[in-house]
């Protein structure tokens, strides 16, 4: 599912349809970079603990269905979902 809106710095958003393709592509690349940067410390934590981990970014309107489909498609046997709480990782 492609991006449908562009979030602006002030918290507003605009539909992505009237935005030029190169602007939309740059926005998407920036969002992917931001997500990768945010997830990198957790990947490092896994690496230090000798746990195989892979960051997969997916786009979808229905997040639970998208996660379920990715787990099935990738034949994932164990999925850990957590949240950052005050700088430390909890699960």
């Amino acid at each position: 599912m492609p991006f449908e809106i562009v979030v602006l710095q002030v918290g507003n958003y605009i539909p992505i349809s009237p935005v030029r393709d190169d602007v939309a592509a740059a926005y998407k690349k920036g969002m992917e970079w931001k997500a990768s940067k945010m997830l990198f410390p957790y990947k490092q934590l896994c690496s230090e603990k000798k746990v195989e981990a892979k960051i997969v970014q997916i786009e979808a309107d229905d997040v639970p269905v998208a996660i379920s489909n990715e787990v099935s498609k990738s034949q994932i046997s164990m999925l850990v979902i957590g949240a950052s709480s005050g700088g430390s990782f909890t699960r």
Side-chain angles (χ1 to χ4, degrees):
M1 167 86 33
F3 281 94
E4 294 182 6
I5 62 171
V6 174
V7 179
L8 305 174
Q9 291 285 344
V10 292
N12 296 330
Y13 61 89
I14 59 172
I16 203 158
S17 54
V19 177
R20 291 189 336 245
D21 289 343
D22 61 327
V23 173
Y27 176 77
K28 181 178 179 181
K29 188 173 184 176
M31 293 300 292
E32 289 171 349
W33 178 84
K34 186 177 179 179
S36 291
K37 183 179 176 184
M38 179 185 68
L39 295 170
F40 182 75
Y42 303 111
K43 184 151 172 42
Q44 282 294 113
L45 176 67
C46 290
S47 179
E48 290 169 6
K49 301 292 183 180
K50 308 287 189 238
V51 174
E52 182 181 344
K54 179 179 176 185
I55 296 174
V56 177
Q57 297 180 39
I58 53 177
E59 299 175 35
D61 290 327
D62 191 341
V63 174
V65 169
I67 292 172
S68 177
N69 289 342
E70 186 64 31
V71 166
S72 296
K73 182 180 86 176
S74 300
Q75 299 178 345
I76 296 170
S77 59
M78 183 182 297
L79 176 66
V80 177
I81 299 177
S84 178
S85 174
S88 62
F89 186 69
T90 59
R91 64 178 177 160

